[in-house]
Amino acid sequence: MRIIVMGVSGSGKSTLASALAQALTLAFIEGDDLHLQSNIAKMQAGQPLNDADRLPWLQAIAAALSSRTEGAVASCSALKKSYRDLLREQTGEPLYFICLNCDPDIIAARMQARHGHFMPASLLTSQLASFENPQGEPATLLLSCDQPVSAMLAACKAWLEDQAGLRTITKTVPLPES
């Protein structure tokens, strides 16, 4: 089972993806760790990434997912349909997407409150402008990120059980509250 938790920066992708990976006993792939240093420097300088900047990053995420024969959960913004199509093509299907979305003011407040992350809150506007809603795309769950992690995790597990034909996903893990 390969899963990508997607959304703009600050939506809670890493938090949910990590909890979901733990619940499913799968590897967690932190998408931010796969950015080229030049991309990190660009974002730290307040410059949004373009499609050419993102291509090697998306390819690295696809390769990391593909290399995990037992499956994995990755965090990746996957803002555009073309990015998601590339990930589907290079990873193979089924590839499940869980798209986190909520009020931009909530996301901006989260970004301003976090410390030590290379993505400044000033880039949220460009991410929201690039975001193409995946509604109607195959194997994609749209989920509001303005709820506790435990509620999001329960919704993901129920959806994956239905989508993947799994009997039950029963592992219980301690969750960070947000």
Side-chain angles (χ1 to χ4, degrees):
M1 178 175 288
R2 294 181 178 111
I3 303 162
I4 294 177
V5 179
M6 60 167 285
V8 297
S9 185
S11 62
K13 297 181 300 290
S14 296
T15 301
L16 180 60
S18 176
L20 186 58
Q22 189 176 5
L24 300 177
T25 319
L26 294 173
F28 167 58
I29 300 167
E30 173 55 74
D32 285 346
D33 293 345
L34 300 176
H35 272 296
L36 298 174
Q37 189 57 45
S38 58
N39 285 355
I40 292 171
K42 190 172 183 178
M43 288 182 279
Q44 285 175 325
Q47 300 171 1
L49 300 181
N50 59 39
D51 292 349
D53 294 327
R54 288 190 180 104
L55 180 60
W57 175 64
L58 293 166
Q59 291 171 328
I61 290 171
L65 279 167
S66 295
S67 72
R68 305 288 184 154
T69 57
E70 72 285 354
V73 181
S75 60
C76 173
S77 57
L79 297 174
K80 295 182 179 183
K81 183 179 185 310
S82 61
Y83 301 167
R84 296 185 293 274
D85 288 344
L86 181 142
L87 289 162
R88 285 183 185 102
E89 178 184 309
Q90 293 191 3
T91 303
E93 295 198 27
L95 176 61
Y96 301 97
F97 284 91
I98 298 167
C99 178
L100 299 180
N101 199 5
C102 68
D103 185 281
D105 291 336
I106 293 171
I107 294 173
R110 287 180 182 177
M111 290 180 76
Q112 291 168 349
R114 69 182 179 186
H115 302 285
H117 196 278
F118 57 81
M119 180 73 147
S122 62
L123 289 180
L124 178 58
T125 302
S126 69
Q127 284 214 325
L128 291 169
S130 294
F131 177 71
E132 296 172 0
N133 191 316
Q135 186 168 357
E137 290 180 27
T140 301
L141 172 66
L142 304 176
L143 190 61
S144 177
C145 66
D146 64 352
Q147 53 190 323
V149 174
S150 57
M152 291 189 294
L153 184 60
C156 291
K157 288 167 58 175
W159 177 75
L160 287 165
E161 287 170 1
D162 181 58
Q163 291 292 306
L166 302 175
R167 288 177 168 226
T168 54
I169 301 171
T170 58
K171 185 168 181 183
T172 303
V173 295
L175 299 170
E177 286 302 320
S178 62

PDB file of all heavy atoms in Angstrom, residues 6 97-101 131-137 139-145 147 155 159:
ATOM      1  N   MET A   6      -1.171  14.765   1.168  1.00  0.00           N
ATOM      2  CA  MET A   6      -0.833  15.960   0.395  1.00  0.00           C
ATOM      3  C   MET A   6      -1.580  17.191   0.894  1.00  0.00           C
ATOM      4  O   MET A   6      -2.546  17.088   1.635  1.00  0.00           O
ATOM      5  CB  MET A   6      -1.151  15.728  -1.089  1.00  0.00           C
ATOM      6  CG  MET A   6      -2.629  15.432  -1.331  1.00  0.00           C
ATOM      7  SD  MET A   6      -3.150  15.521  -3.062  1.00  0.00           S
ATOM      8  CE  MET A   6      -3.187  17.297  -3.325  1.00  0.00           C
ATOM      9  N   PHE A  97      -4.126   8.969  -2.419  1.00  0.00           N
ATOM     10  CA  PHE A  97      -3.852  10.345  -2.002  1.00  0.00           C
ATOM     11  C   PHE A  97      -4.852  10.756  -0.934  1.00  0.00           C
ATOM     12  O   PHE A  97      -6.059  10.527  -1.088  1.00  0.00           O
ATOM     13  CB  PHE A  97      -3.967  11.319  -3.181  1.00  0.00           C
ATOM     14  CG  PHE A  97      -2.811  11.283  -4.125  1.00  0.00           C
ATOM     15  CD1 PHE A  97      -2.815  10.438  -5.221  1.00  0.00           C
ATOM     16  CD2 PHE A  97      -1.701  12.093  -3.925  1.00  0.00           C
ATOM     17  CE1 PHE A  97      -1.754  10.401  -6.096  1.00  0.00           C
ATOM     18  CE2 PHE A  97      -0.626  12.063  -4.792  1.00  0.00           C
ATOM     19  CZ  PHE A  97      -0.650  11.221  -5.883  1.00  0.00           C
ATOM     20  N   ILE A  98      -4.351  11.365   0.116  1.00  0.00           N
ATOM     21  CA  ILE A  98      -5.188  11.963   1.150  1.00  0.00           C
ATOM     22  C   ILE A  98      -4.863  13.448   1.133  1.00  0.00           C
ATOM     23  O   ILE A  98      -3.747  13.852   1.460  1.00  0.00           O
ATOM     24  CB  ILE A  98      -4.921  11.337   2.528  1.00  0.00           C
ATOM     25  CG1 ILE A  98      -5.261   9.850   2.487  1.00  0.00           C
ATOM     26  CG2 ILE A  98      -5.708  12.075   3.611  1.00  0.00           C
ATOM     27  CD1 ILE A  98      -4.762   9.051   3.661  1.00  0.00           C
ATOM     28  N   CYS A  99      -5.820  14.247   0.693  1.00  0.00           N
ATOM     29  CA  CYS A  99      -5.609  15.685   0.523  1.00  0.00           C
ATOM     30  C   CYS A  99      -6.152  16.450   1.716  1.00  0.00           C
ATOM     31  O   CYS A  99      -7.349  16.410   2.012  1.00  0.00           O
ATOM     32  CB  CYS A  99      -6.304  16.161  -0.750  1.00  0.00           C
ATOM     33  SG  CYS A  99      -6.145  17.935  -1.017  1.00  0.00           S
ATOM     34  N   LEU A 100      -5.238  17.148   2.412  1.00  0.00           N
ATOM     35  CA  LEU A 100      -5.612  17.963   3.566  1.00  0.00           C
ATOM     36  C   LEU A 100      -5.854  19.392   3.118  1.00  0.00           C
ATOM     37  O   LEU A 100      -5.025  19.985   2.426  1.00  0.00           O
ATOM     38  CB  LEU A 100      -4.503  17.929   4.612  1.00  0.00           C
ATOM     39  CG  LEU A 100      -4.177  16.549   5.183  1.00  0.00           C
ATOM     40  CD1 LEU A 100      -3.063  16.659   6.211  1.00  0.00           C
ATOM     41  CD2 LEU A 100      -5.410  15.911   5.782  1.00  0.00           C
ATOM     42  N   ASN A 101      -6.962  19.928   3.557  1.00  0.00           N
ATOM     43  CA  ASN A 101      -7.319  21.284   3.176  1.00  0.00           C
ATOM     44  C   ASN A 101      -8.139  21.903   4.301  1.00  0.00           C
ATOM     45  O   ASN A 101      -8.902  21.212   4.967  1.00  0.00           O
ATOM     46  CB  ASN A 101      -8.134  21.270   1.876  1.00  0.00           C
ATOM     47  CG  ASN A 101      -8.148  22.601   1.181  1.00  0.00           C
ATOM     48  OD1 ASN A 101      -7.479  23.546   1.589  1.00  0.00           O
ATOM     49  ND2 ASN A 101      -8.913  22.687   0.119  1.00  0.00           N
ATOM     50  N   PHE A 131      -2.323  25.365  -6.086  1.00  0.00           N
ATOM     51  CA  PHE A 131      -3.092  24.185  -5.709  1.00  0.00           C
ATOM     52  C   PHE A 131      -4.235  23.913  -6.672  1.00  0.00           C
ATOM     53  O   PHE A 131      -5.054  24.785  -6.949  1.00  0.00           O
ATOM     54  CB  PHE A 131      -3.637  24.351  -4.286  1.00  0.00           C
ATOM     55  CG  PHE A 131      -4.508  23.212  -3.837  1.00  0.00           C
ATOM     56  CD1 PHE A 131      -3.953  21.975  -3.554  1.00  0.00           C
ATOM     57  CD2 PHE A 131      -5.869  23.384  -3.709  1.00  0.00           C
ATOM     58  CE1 PHE A 131      -4.758  20.910  -3.139  1.00  0.00           C
ATOM     59  CE2 PHE A 131      -6.677  22.341  -3.291  1.00  0.00           C
ATOM     60  CZ  PHE A 131      -6.118  21.106  -3.012  1.00  0.00           C
ATOM     61  N   GLU A 132      -4.271  22.683  -7.182  1.00  0.00           N
ATOM     62  CA  GLU A 132      -5.368  22.211  -8.030  1.00  0.00           C
ATOM     63  C   GLU A 132      -6.096  21.122  -7.248  1.00  0.00           C
ATOM     64  O   GLU A 132      -5.523  20.067  -6.965  1.00  0.00           O
ATOM     65  CB  GLU A 132      -4.830  21.674  -9.354  1.00  0.00           C
ATOM     66  CG  GLU A 132      -4.156  22.733 -10.192  1.00  0.00           C
ATOM     67  CD  GLU A 132      -3.449  22.197 -11.435  1.00  0.00           C
ATOM     68  OE1 GLU A 132      -3.476  20.965 -11.674  1.00  0.00           O
ATOM     69  OE2 GLU A 132      -2.871  23.015 -12.161  1.00  0.00           O
ATOM     70  N   ASN A 133      -7.337  21.395  -6.914  1.00  0.00           N
ATOM     71  CA  ASN A 133      -8.127  20.475  -6.097  1.00  0.00           C
ATOM     72  C   ASN A 133      -8.228  19.110  -6.782  1.00  0.00           C
ATOM     73  O   ASN A 133      -8.601  19.032  -7.946  1.00  0.00           O
ATOM     74  CB  ASN A 133      -9.524  21.064  -5.878  1.00  0.00           C
ATOM     75  CG  ASN A 133     -10.313  20.319  -4.844  1.00  0.00           C
ATOM     76  OD1 ASN A 133     -10.338  19.096  -4.817  1.00  0.00           O
ATOM     77  ND2 ASN A 133     -10.993  21.064  -3.996  1.00  0.00           N
ATOM     78  N   PRO A 134      -7.902  18.035  -6.055  1.00  0.00           N
ATOM     79  CA  PRO A 134      -7.932  16.702  -6.654  1.00  0.00           C
ATOM     80  C   PRO A 134      -9.310  16.037  -6.644  1.00  0.00           C
ATOM     81  O   PRO A 134      -9.418  14.834  -6.910  1.00  0.00           O
ATOM     82  CB  PRO A 134      -6.947  15.925  -5.778  1.00  0.00           C
ATOM     83  CG  PRO A 134      -7.112  16.539  -4.442  1.00  0.00           C
ATOM     84  CD  PRO A 134      -7.332  18.007  -4.711  1.00  0.00           C
ATOM     85  N   GLN A 135     -10.354  16.801  -6.348  1.00  0.00           N
ATOM     86  CA  GLN A 135     -11.693  16.224  -6.298  1.00  0.00           C
ATOM     87  C   GLN A 135     -11.984  15.507  -7.611  1.00  0.00           C
ATOM     88  O   GLN A 135     -11.763  16.053  -8.691  1.00  0.00           O
ATOM     89  CB  GLN A 135     -12.735  17.305  -6.053  1.00  0.00           C
ATOM     90  CG  GLN A 135     -14.132  16.750  -5.855  1.00  0.00           C
ATOM     91  CD  GLN A 135     -15.091  17.788  -5.331  1.00  0.00           C
ATOM     92  OE1 GLN A 135     -14.717  18.915  -5.065  1.00  0.00           O
ATOM     93  NE2 GLN A 135     -16.334  17.406  -5.183  1.00  0.00           N
ATOM     94  N   GLY A 136     -12.455  14.272  -7.502  1.00  0.00           N
ATOM     95  CA  GLY A 136     -12.798  13.485  -8.684  1.00  0.00           C
ATOM     96  C   GLY A 136     -11.658  12.626  -9.212  1.00  0.00           C
ATOM     97  O   GLY A 136     -11.868  11.798 -10.083  1.00  0.00           O
ATOM     98  N   GLU A 137     -10.444  12.827  -8.687  1.00  0.00           N
ATOM     99  CA  GLU A 137      -9.328  11.991  -9.120  1.00  0.00           C
ATOM    100  C   GLU A 137      -9.455  10.624  -8.445  1.00  0.00           C
ATOM    101  O   GLU A 137     -10.008  10.505  -7.349  1.00  0.00           O
ATOM    102  CB  GLU A 137      -7.993  12.647  -8.753  1.00  0.00           C
ATOM    103  CG  GLU A 137      -7.701  13.882  -9.564  1.00  0.00           C
ATOM    104  CD  GLU A 137      -6.370  14.532  -9.213  1.00  0.00           C
ATOM    105  OE1 GLU A 137      -5.446  13.836  -8.749  1.00  0.00           O
ATOM    106  OE2 GLU A 137      -6.268  15.758  -9.403  1.00  0.00           O
ATOM    107  N   ALA A 139      -8.824   7.267  -6.329  1.00  0.00           N
ATOM    108  CA  ALA A 139      -8.183   6.896  -5.060  1.00  0.00           C
ATOM    109  C   ALA A 139      -7.712   8.119  -4.273  1.00  0.00           C
ATOM    110  O   ALA A 139      -6.590   8.183  -3.797  1.00  0.00           O
ATOM    111  CB  ALA A 139      -7.029   5.932  -5.301  1.00  0.00           C
ATOM    112  N   THR A 140      -8.602   9.088  -4.133  1.00  0.00           N
ATOM    113  CA  THR A 140      -8.257  10.337  -3.443  1.00  0.00           C
ATOM    114  C   THR A 140      -9.328  10.678  -2.411  1.00  0.00           C
ATOM    115  O   THR A 140     -10.517  10.720  -2.725  1.00  0.00           O
ATOM    116  CB  THR A 140      -8.114  11.498  -4.451  1.00  0.00           C
ATOM    117  OG1 THR A 140      -7.105  11.162  -5.400  1.00  0.00           O
ATOM    118  CG2 THR A 140      -7.729  12.782  -3.752  1.00  0.00           C
ATOM    119  N   LEU A 141      -8.870  10.926  -1.196  1.00  0.00           N
ATOM    120  CA  LEU A 141      -9.740  11.345  -0.103  1.00  0.00           C
ATOM    121  C   LEU A 141      -9.482  12.817   0.182  1.00  0.00           C
ATOM    122  O   LEU A 141      -8.330  13.225   0.364  1.00  0.00           O
ATOM    123  CB  LEU A 141      -9.444  10.522   1.158  1.00  0.00           C
ATOM    124  CG  LEU A 141     -10.142  10.962   2.449  1.00  0.00           C
ATOM    125  CD1 LEU A 141     -11.652  10.766   2.345  1.00  0.00           C
ATOM    126  CD2 LEU A 141      -9.571  10.200   3.645  1.00  0.00           C
ATOM    127  N   LEU A 142     -10.534  13.615   0.229  1.00  0.00           N
ATOM    128  CA  LEU A 142     -10.439  15.012   0.631  1.00  0.00           C
ATOM    129  C   LEU A 142     -10.803  15.085   2.103  1.00  0.00           C
ATOM    130  O   LEU A 142     -11.843  14.574   2.512  1.00  0.00           O
ATOM    131  CB  LEU A 142     -11.372  15.886  -0.193  1.00  0.00           C
ATOM    132  CG  LEU A 142     -11.199  15.820  -1.715  1.00  0.00           C
ATOM    133  CD1 LEU A 142     -12.247  16.669  -2.408  1.00  0.00           C
ATOM    134  CD2 LEU A 142      -9.809  16.242  -2.111  1.00  0.00           C
ATOM    135  N   LEU A 143      -9.929  15.725   2.878  1.00  0.00           N
ATOM    136  CA  LEU A 143     -10.095  15.709   4.331  1.00  0.00           C
ATOM    137  C   LEU A 143      -9.776  17.089   4.902  1.00  0.00           C
ATOM    138  O   LEU A 143      -8.756  17.686   4.571  1.00  0.00           O
ATOM    139  CB  LEU A 143      -9.135  14.667   4.910  1.00  0.00           C
ATOM    140  CG  LEU A 143      -9.261  14.276   6.363  1.00  0.00           C
ATOM    141  CD1 LEU A 143     -10.620  13.659   6.653  1.00  0.00           C
ATOM    142  CD2 LEU A 143      -8.168  13.278   6.709  1.00  0.00           C
ATOM    143  N   SER A 144     -10.651  17.587   5.765  1.00  0.00           N
ATOM    144  CA  SER A 144     -10.407  18.870   6.411  1.00  0.00           C
ATOM    145  C   SER A 144      -9.327  18.704   7.477  1.00  0.00           C
ATOM    146  O   SER A 144      -9.389  17.788   8.297  1.00  0.00           O
ATOM    147  CB  SER A 144     -11.691  19.399   7.044  1.00  0.00           C
ATOM    148  OG  SER A 144     -11.406  20.605   7.720  1.00  0.00           O
ATOM    149  N   CYS A 145      -8.360  19.599   7.474  1.00  0.00           N
ATOM    150  CA  CYS A 145      -7.254  19.513   8.437  1.00  0.00           C
ATOM    151  C   CYS A 145      -7.510  20.352   9.687  1.00  0.00           C
ATOM    152  O   CYS A 145      -6.606  20.527  10.506  1.00  0.00           O
ATOM    153  CB  CYS A 145      -5.935  19.903   7.781  1.00  0.00           C
ATOM    154  SG  CYS A 145      -5.808  21.614   7.255  1.00  0.00           S
ATOM    155  N   GLN A 147      -9.325  19.504  12.172  1.00  0.00           N
ATOM    156  CA  GLN A 147      -9.829  18.596  13.201  1.00  0.00           C
ATOM    157  C   GLN A 147      -8.658  17.884  13.869  1.00  0.00           C
ATOM    158  O   GLN A 147      -7.544  17.907  13.356  1.00  0.00           O
ATOM    159  CB  GLN A 147     -10.811  17.604  12.587  1.00  0.00           C
ATOM    160  CG  GLN A 147     -10.268  16.849  11.387  1.00  0.00           C
ATOM    161  CD  GLN A 147     -11.331  16.051  10.662  1.00  0.00           C
ATOM    162  OE1 GLN A 147     -12.220  15.496  11.274  1.00  0.00           O
ATOM    163  NE2 GLN A 147     -11.232  15.995   9.346  1.00  0.00           N
ATOM    164  N   ALA A 155     -10.733   8.668   9.978  1.00  0.00           N
ATOM    165  CA  ALA A 155     -11.344   8.823   8.658  1.00  0.00           C
ATOM    166  C   ALA A 155     -10.477   8.181   7.575  1.00  0.00           C
ATOM    167  O   ALA A 155     -10.997   7.512   6.672  1.00  0.00           O
ATOM    168  CB  ALA A 155     -11.567  10.300   8.352  1.00  0.00           C
ATOM    169  N   TRP A 159     -11.538   4.967   5.225  1.00  0.00           N
ATOM    170  CA  TRP A 159     -11.517   5.138   3.773  1.00  0.00           C
ATOM    171  C   TRP A 159     -10.590   4.121   3.120  1.00  0.00           C
ATOM    172  O   TRP A 159     -10.946   3.502   2.113  1.00  0.00           O
ATOM    173  CB  TRP A 159     -11.098   6.572   3.434  1.00  0.00           C
ATOM    174  CG  TRP A 159     -10.977   6.835   1.965  1.00  0.00           C
ATOM    175  CD1 TRP A 159     -12.006   7.008   1.074  1.00  0.00           C
ATOM    176  CD2 TRP A 159      -9.772   6.965   1.217  1.00  0.00           C
ATOM    177  NE1 TRP A 159     -11.493   7.230  -0.183  1.00  0.00           N
ATOM    178  CE2 TRP A 159     -10.131   7.216  -0.115  1.00  0.00           C
ATOM    179  CE3 TRP A 159      -8.422   6.898   1.549  1.00  0.00           C
ATOM    180  CZ2 TRP A 159      -9.187   7.393  -1.127  1.00  0.00           C
ATOM    181  CZ3 TRP A 159      -7.482   7.080   0.557  1.00  0.00           C
ATOM    182  CH2 TRP A 159      -7.860   7.326  -0.774  1.00  0.00           C
TER     183      TRP A 159
END
